[in-house]
Amino acid sequence: MSGLTVALDAMGGDFGPQVTVPASVQALLQFPELKVVLFGDLSAITSQLSLLNQTNHPRIQIVHCDNVIANDTRPSQALRRSQGSSMRAALDAVSDGTADACVSAGNTGALMALSRYILKQLPGVDRPALVSAIPTLGSKRTWLLDLGANVSCDADTLFQFAVMGAVLAEQGTPNPTVALLNIGEEHIKGNDQVRRCAEMLADLDDINYVGFLEGDQIYTGKADVIVCDGFVGNVSLKTSEGVANLFIASLKKAIAEHPVKRLVAKWLFRDLFETVNQLKPDQYNGASLLGLRGIVVKSHGSADITAFTNAIGEAVNEVKRQIPTKISDRLEEVLLERHY
Amino acid sequence: MSGLTVALDAMGGDFGPQVTVPASVQALLQFPELKVVLFGDLSAITSQLSLLNQTNHPRIQIVHCDNVIANDTRPSQALRRSQGSSMRAALDAVSDGTADACVSAGNTGALMALSRYILKQLPGVDRPALVSAIPTLGSKRTWLLDLGANVSCDADTLFQFAVMGAVLAEQGTPNPTVALLNIGEEHIKGNDQVRRCAEMLADLDDINYVGFLEGDQIYTGKADVIVCDGFVGNVSLKTSEGVANLFIASLKKAIAEHPVKRLVAKWLFRDLFETVNQLKPDQYNGASLLGLRGIVVKSHGSADITAFTNAIGEAVNEVKRQIPTKISDRLEEVLLERHY
């Protein structure tokens, strides 16, 4: 591939250019074919670049933007007041073909609303989904979607999510298994949407549908793709974070009360914290907005340099694998298969 | 209180009388006012009692039942074929006033269906909810409902759950805080049901409603009662179990590879396993079916003697506190408050 350009919302996230600029430099080291366009405040960006002695990096371009979309801006407000903002400008670059993908650590709702408005959905996609890879037993990873972009979904929408998730999972796993998250494994369990989507998927040769999965099996690696509506997915992901935090707090407390345990704590905590951090997958990997006519990766607002670099890496991988085209092709195939 | 009788489905759960009989004996030690009626196979029960030298315990009565409702029996089948089963007989005892509460570790769907059929809902309750106490930071406990009895709930049902949960939480906490589980804290977040229920609760003086809570705050103790539909609650609770299992597996793996870590593992694992077991709250406490004209406690199918004893204890507490009457009174109050 001859060159690959990622548009970065340099101002997004809790730390703005302090994280996005060093992460860009790191990503450029990892991907020799990558070019980066930084959208945001020129002086803030250049001062970060000069700290890194990278003011004249041949693969970095800066586009000054006057505005930033704040974290508490509502999606509807973001749509009206996005002109001149770094997020909007980065998405416009994808829309006009100047960039191949956009990465932002900014306001999720605003990013979703602007992405839909500027890039539009792919044909066959009713609603884009937010997806992320979560760690599982046996060092596999499982794609979980939707993570909160769509609070309620009908069977058709869940079906589209399943197809989109399968395409994304094929990056690493041939013929990935796809499951629906439910409150029991028997076919009578769950709500109408989930049961009807299960029937639709079971009828399909093109998707390796393996049935229902319960919450306690999300992290077992039993499926490569797990599909649910955004309310359930968001609660499940955030519950995981909460449990990890409770676990760490309980362990710290138990250890703090015991001097010898305290001595070995740091030594043991290395492993513990690694596991816990993996339970914050959007922070770790970035989450993708799937189903748009363009690649958009959402990094966690509190992402550090490594996490934001990972998010850029996810965008690069999706560009290389032409995920939107593949989703579009696959949806056309399965819709044909369903109708004939 | 002069005497308090709990009807036990002695055959329910993975271990039947091997667990339910010793747990009964243990509960009788804890509660001097308690009488227990064991419903199930006479010879299986008496052989367990004779192992414990308790064949003539003055506060144990046995009622022989020929049948057991299997774990894979559907609720609709359970309704048709329940005659002569230990679960049905135990619920009948509550219905006819012979017993004050029923405890079963059997098939959840069957227990819910039979409870609704035999005991009926309290006035003002559209659907009973499954509720359990989960551990939180600071050694508090939070009541989470619904845990899977109702896959989808409208605003009125969620509202009733909030009131029922508040009554239960008042056992341990005066003026308990009540929150709705949502995918954001702002009032615009979530689905219609949750937003509408929030408006209903905010209007009410009688319930200490504190707003929306996200999944990562379930275990922080920020609310004494957390309300959601059964799909979300079930996924959240089971996700917690899954994370705990992943966590333990990761830690075991990290420790197994290191001889010195292996040496301190057992010593440290005592604390770890305690925390993990608390994350399986239904195994730990038993879950209550709330909103019925009678007290029904569901113990986890794989409950051990301690866990089943805890479930009996929960039933005893609910009898002492006359939870169904209190729920009924409170619902009447809040409905009056809403209409005038």
Side-chain angles (χ1 to χ4, degrees), chain B residues 263-274:
Chain B
L263 273 176
V264 291
K266 274 196 179 171
W267 174 55
L268 273 166
F269 270 179
R270 224 185 11 243
D271 303 319
L272 265 171
F273 282 124
E274 205 171 294

Side-chain angles (χ1 to χ4, degrees), chain A residues 137 151 181-183 214 216 219 231 236 238-240 243 247 249-250 258 261 267-268 271-272 275-276 279, chain B residues 137 151 181-183 214 216 219 231 236 238-240 243 247 249-250 254 258 261 267-268 271-272 275-276:
Chain A
L137 289 175
V151 287
L181 189 57
N182 200 353
I183 63 168
E214 293 188 68
D216 56 345
Y219 293 96
F231 198 111
S236 176
K238 290 203 169 146
T239 299
S240 306
V243 171
F247 205 98
S250 309
H258 197 296
K261 286 183 182 178
W267 173 54
L268 273 165
D271 303 320
L272 266 171
T275 305
V276 170
L279 292 172
Chain B
L137 288 173
V151 288
L181 188 57
N182 200 353
I183 63 167
E214 293 189 67
D216 55 345
Y219 293 95
F231 198 110
S236 176
K238 290 203 169 151
T239 298
S240 306
V243 171
F247 205 96
S250 308
H258 198 298
K261 287 183 181 177
W267 174 55
L268 273 166
D271 303 319
L272 265 171
T275 306
V276 170

